[in-house]
Amino acid sequence: MELVRQTPDISAYVAASEAVDLDHPLVQETADRLWSVHPDAYAYAKAAYEFVRDAIPHSADSGDQRVSWRASEVLATRNGICVSKSHALAALLRARSLPTAFCYQRLTEEGADPMVHGLVAVKLPGMSRWARQDPRGNKAGVDARFSLEEERLAWPVRPEFSEVDYPVLYAEPHPVVLKALQEAVDRTHLWKTFPTEL
């Protein structure tokens, strides 16, 4: 699949926004701490990815009913679903001026309605292409890894189940995803209103 930038302006992929509040002190402190141990772009990107993947549980795995959507909130509560964790990872990467995009899949589970799944794509110095990363968090049957070559996502799409890899690299979280997060009372409510496709 060929990934397509939503905008040709690369500066859009390092910008702050309401959801990607990379100027927030907690985002900056976390980025500084990771950078102090991993002071080059490649090592830092991997460390930031592993931090978000491993230190912030997916709320469906932990049972947390809170819905976080701002990057700083995800870091503060150590809680979020896949798209929220993507906001946190994007903020950490952008805090070091590493171009980071939002990208999505449409996935389903046996007997369940489809749901949009959130990823990021990063373009590190010297790379000619974007590399998608899945910070969802591992569990039994899920083994996502940071990789710049072969994708190591939580789930490959299964076309026979009408699953889809969306090719667009968004500079900001998709509006329908962000709206669902912002309007959710709790995670139970979010599951009822979360988009099934883009």
Side-chain angles (χ1 to χ4, degrees):
M1 178 185 65
E2 183 179 351
L3 298 172
V4 181
R5 285 195 349 215
Q6 178 190 26
T7 173
D9 182 6
I10 196 70
S11 69
Y13 295 95
V14 293
S17 68
E18 189 177 16
V20 187
D21 54 345
L22 59 92
D23 295 324
H24 189 282
L26 182 55
V27 175
Q28 289 294 317
E29 289 165 18
T30 306
D32 289 346
R33 181 169 42 80
L34 292 169
W35 184 260
S36 71
V37 180
H38 308 280
D40 79 58
Y42 292 85
Y44 174 82
K46 183 175 189 281
Y49 166 83
E50 290 176 349
F51 173 77
V52 173
R53 183 194 65 188
D54 300 340
I56 302 170
H58 190 290
S59 54
D61 297 343
S62 68
D64 198 324
Q65 282 292 316
R66 295 172 296 172
V67 176
S68 55
W69 58 272
R70 278 191 183 92
S72 60
E73 186 181 20
V74 174
L75 294 174
T77 62
R78 296 289 175 102
N79 156 67
I81 68 167
C82 58
V83 290
S84 303
K85 292 181 67 168
S86 293
H87 300 171
L89 179 54
L92 292 174
L93 295 173
R94 290 182 181 191
R96 286 293 173 264
S97 300
L98 300 175
T100 308
F102 298 95
C103 40
Y104 301 92
Q105 296 174 308
R106 180 180 188 260
L107 301 175
T108 189
E109 292 182 30
E110 292 268 341
D113 289 333
M115 187 173 283
V116 170
H117 179 62
L119 314 166
V120 302
V122 63
K123 190 171 188 296
L124 295 180
M127 287 180 58
S128 60
R129 62 178 193 82
W130 295 76
R132 294 192 306 168
Q133 311 298 328
D134 190 341
R136 182 231 178 263
N138 291 337
K139 61 177 186 174
V142 176
D143 186 27
R145 304 280 174 132
F146 183 82
S147 177
L148 300 176
E149 302 302 327
E150 179 185 0
E151 287 190 336
R152 297 291 304 271
L153 307 179
W155 297 285
V157 299
R158 302 168 299 173
E160 65 272 23
F161 292 101
S162 299
E163 295 181 340
V164 176
D165 269 322
Y166 293 106
V168 177
L169 297 170
Y170 293 94
E172 295 303 328
H174 195 284
V176 300
V177 170
L178 197 53
K179 182 174 186 286
L181 289 169
Q182 291 171 330
E183 294 180 353
V185 175
D186 57 25
R187 189 169 45 81
T188 300
H189 176 248
L190 179 64
W191 283 167
K192 295 175 183 173
T193 60
F194 203 71
T196 58
E197 62 184 351
L198 296 184

